[in-house]
Amino acid sequence: MGMVLADPSGLSHNNTYGALPLFYVDSPFVCKDCGSHEVWTAKQQKWWYEIAKGHIDSKAVRCRPCRKILQAIKAEARAVHLNGIALKQAEHWAANA
């Protein structure tokens, strides 16, 4: 099982009354989408909490392939939304020209 020391200065963004970790330990989990058994490594946790500034109470719930699928779905929805806004603006300017 892997373990990585925590850097308290990297956790200063957390506003919590609980104790902050002194180290991270590999954490097994089951993906909530596909059910695969995965491990959230100590190194990944350190990146999430200290570099990406994730909240200290957050935990991994999806495997990497399922996260990629969800990101693609969200990106497509965002693109459709932005295209819709652009179309409405173009129609508005054409009608008021």
Side-chain angles (χ1 to χ4, degrees):
M1 191 173 252
M3 183 176 78
V4 176
L5 289 175
D7 177 8
S9 66
L11 297 170
S12 62
H13 66 281
N14 282 286
N15 184 13
T16 180
Y17 291 109
L20 294 173
L22 300 175
F23 54 88
Y24 307 104
V25 179
D26 289 355
S27 175
F29 70 97
V30 176
C31 177
K32 70 185 279 184
D33 291 343
C34 70
S36 69
H37 292 264
E38 302 287 331
V39 174
W40 193 23
T41 67
K43 185 178 176 182
Q44 291 168 329
Q45 292 173 52
K46 184 173 180 72
W47 178 87
W48 174 249
Y49 295 129
E50 297 178 13
I51 306 301
K53 304 297 184 195
H55 192 275
I56 200 65
D57 293 328
S58 62
K59 305 290 180 207
V61 295
R62 286 185 177 87
C63 65
R64 187 175 302 262
C66 288
R67 282 197 325 269
K68 294 292 182 190
I69 290 169
L70 186 60
Q71 288 170 356
I73 290 169
K74 287 181 178 182
E76 177 62 24
R78 189 176 309 111
V80 168
H81 173 72
L82 293 175
N83 286 338
I85 289 174
L87 182 60
K88 276 189 170 183
Q89 288 176 342
E91 289 172 353
H92 172 77
W93 288 112
N96 293 320

